Amino acid sequence: MLGRTLCGVPIRRVIRMVWVLIAVCTLSALPWMMYEFKKADFSVHYQAWFMAGIFVILAVSVSVYEVAMHLEYYNCPKLQIRVVRILWMVPIYAVDSWLCLRFKDASFYIDPVRECYEAFVIYNFYMYLVGYLEDEYGDVASYFSTKEQVQHIWPVNKWIRPWSMGDVFFWETKRGVLSYVIARPLMAAISVAANIAGVYCEGEFKLHCVYPYVTFVNNCSQMWALYCLVLLYEATNKELAPIRPLPKFIAIKAVVFLTFWQSLLIDIAAETNLIHPAEWSTYDTGDVAAGLQNFLICLEMFAAALGHAYAFPPRDYMDPCRPPAGFMNNIKAMFDVGDVMTDVSGLVHGTIQETQDNIRSQLSQLQIKTGLKAGQKAALPT
């Protein structure tokens, strides 16, 4: 459909030109619209919802167009399914934040969707990089086993030995990423259950509250997953050069890291009374801080959508020798997550097996040491 022409011009270009025209007109008129709202004495809440909604619509339209283009020219399913999942990050972040902004009382139950998808995106980006390496080099474990050993970054190198290049390296980095995919939804479920039970205590670091423990697990698993991505990039950046990995790293990490640190700075500002509710507002300080974070994310996702479109362009997979299969023929591929379930199952079984092997090894060593000591005692003269 998007590959067809209109008066000799590809429909995709017509859609893109129309979108640019609408976006420019909308953004140009936005200051005037906000001035008119203020003059009409509209509530600040409604002004924020309206402005955030405009940016959400623009961001979602960019991402949906990019997804449609990838599905139209679905010539490399192994890589493009990962790209499509990554591109959905912006719409999910944007819509989630707008709903939290509009329905603040329900935000606690809406936010986990965004947080869980963040873990899903990090996993898909990892598999996208590994998938490209497999297409180019075949057995990546064997290929990289001959490469120079990659050392851990400080301070990790102080307490973890380097992972041997090859099977061990790819297993450990994949496990680090997948552990976040497992931990994030699990922590989200625990948070919801604890909140219903009245023991979550959001924002309170008290021993009897669930919040500090969930936050600790989430942050540790997230940082470890991102660290594993960085280590993979360090080991494979030369081999990944043809697909421009750096813009892709930045496009994903910017969304994850900037939103996290932005949230942290806003929370600090709220705690130090730099952010406080207006006298006429029914919002408390926490509501204002959360609303500001969600409002900024709505605005920022427009820039993120453009960044993702630059980092993951559909033209990389367009082949003039192969006619487009059509968007509708490939749309069902977006909903197939069988690969994720297989990888998670493999991780769980592999970790259990590894743990059992380690326990057997330790017990065997203990038995040998015990036998040696018994033999030494028996050899001593009475």
Side-chain angles (χ1 to χ4, degrees):
M1 183 178 69
L2 295 175
R4 297 175 183 174
T5 60
L6 181 65
C7 299
V9 181
I11 289 180
R12 64 177 184 273
R13 293 185 181 177
V14 175
I15 294 174
R16 195 158 55 230
M17 288 187 292
V18 171
W19 180 89
V20 170
L21 181 62
I22 293 173
V24 169
C25 292
T26 302
L27 295 176
S28 300
L30 197 56
W32 171 77
M33 287 187 285
M34 299 311 299
Y35 172 76
E36 290 295 324
F37 283 163
K38 191 170 183 179
K39 190 167 67 173
D41 201 26
F42 270 82
S43 166
V44 173
H45 299 158
Y46 286 105
Q47 293 182 47
W49 297 334
F50 178 80
M51 182 181 292
I54 291 294
F55 279 89
V56 167
I57 291 171
L58 292 175
V60 170
S61 60
V62 171
S63 296
V64 169
Y65 171 79
E66 294 297 317
V67 168
M69 286 294 293
H70 276 284
L71 293 178
E72 181 80 7
Y73 297 92
Y74 202 57
N75 296 323
C76 189
K78 185 176 180 179
L79 298 182
Q80 284 181 279
I81 186 59
R82 310 293 181 185
V83 173
V84 167
R85 291 169 178 174
I86 292 168
L87 291 174
W88 277 114
M89 182 184 197
V90 166
I92 289 174
Y93 262 61
V95 174
D96 181 285
S97 297
W98 190 87
L99 290 174
C100 290
L101 183 67
R102 178 63 183 86
F103 307 102
K104 69 178 182 68
D105 293 333
S107 62
F108 183 86
Y109 302 100
I110 299 173
D111 258 345
V113 176
R114 179 177 69 196
E115 295 167 353
C116 293
Y117 201 80
E118 172 192 300
F120 186 59
V121 165
I122 293 174
Y123 156 78
N124 275 282
F125 185 52
Y126 176 91
M127 294 306 298
Y128 169 80
L129 299 178
V130 173
Y132 171 79
L133 293 172
E134 289 175 343
D135 286 346
E136 294 295 316
Y137 301 98
D139 187 349
V140 292
S142 298
Y143 176 81
F144 282 95
S145 63
T146 61
K147 296 292 183 179
E148 182 181 353
Q149 178 65 53
V150 174
Q151 302 296 326
H152 282 294
I153 302 170
W154 185 91
V156 180
N157 59 358
K158 300 296 183 182
W159 48 277
I160 294 183
R161 294 178 180 178
W163 296 326
S164 300
M165 297 302 293
D167 285 324
V168 174
F169 180 83
F170 284 96
W171 164 252
E172 293 293 348
T173 51
K174 185 177 182 178
R175 179 161 63 175
V177 172
L178 272 174
S179 64
Y180 186 41
V181 176
I182 297 171
R184 196 71 181 197
L186 182 61
M187 291 301 104
I190 291 174
S191 299
V192 171
N195 191 62
I196 294 173
V199 293
Y200 184 67
C201 315
E202 186 173 9
E204 298 182 19
F205 290 87
K206 298 178 180 178
L207 292 176
H208 67 276
C209 295
V210 174
Y211 172 78
Y213 306 107
V214 168
T215 302
F216 177 77
V217 172
N218 279 336
N219 289 340
C220 287
S221 58
Q222 181 195 66
M223 295 301 293
W224 187 246
L226 291 173
Y227 172 79
C228 290
L229 267 182
V230 171
L231 211 60
L232 178 71
Y233 174 74
E234 185 178 346
T236 63
N237 62 85
K238 291 181 181 178
E239 288 77 10
L240 292 172
I243 59 171
R244 302 179 303 121
L246 188 57
K248 294 174 171 60
F249 266 95
I250 294 173
I252 292 173
K253 286 191 174 184
V255 175
V256 176
F257 264 112
L258 293 182
T259 53
F260 170 75
W261 288 108
Q262 178 177 272
S263 175
L264 184 62
L265 290 174
I266 289 174
D267 286 342
I268 293 173
E271 288 295 326
T272 55
N273 207 33
L274 292 175
I275 295 177
H276 51 81
E279 294 181 358
W280 48 265
S281 176
T282 58
Y283 284 29
D284 58 24
T285 303
D287 291 336
V288 173
L292 178 59
Q293 167 72 348
N294 288 317
F295 176 76
L296 291 176
I297 290 177
C298 290
L299 271 56
E300 292 159 354
M301 284 305 104
F302 176 55
L306 298 177
H308 281 202
Y310 170 77
F312 299 95
R315 66 174 177 271
D316 289 351
Y317 306 97
M318 291 181 181
D319 186 351
C321 298
R322 297 176 62 181
F327 168 77
M328 296 305 297
N329 293 330
N330 297 314
I331 194 169
K332 64 180 181 181
M334 291 193 302
F335 303 101
D336 183 7
V337 293
D339 58 316
V340 185
M341 303 304 296
T342 300
D343 282 343
V344 170
S345 176
L347 170 69
V348 173
H349 289 300
T351 302
I352 292 173
Q353 184 63 47
E354 184 179 337
T355 303
Q356 290 174 343
D357 291 342
N358 288 336
I359 292 173
R360 291 193 191 101
S361 177
Q362 293 295 326
L363 290 175
S364 177
Q365 292 178 12
L366 183 61
Q367 288 174 353
I368 292 172
K369 290 179 180 179
T370 304
L372 288 173
K373 289 181 179 180
Q376 289 173 355
K377 287 181 179 180
L380 290 174
T382 57

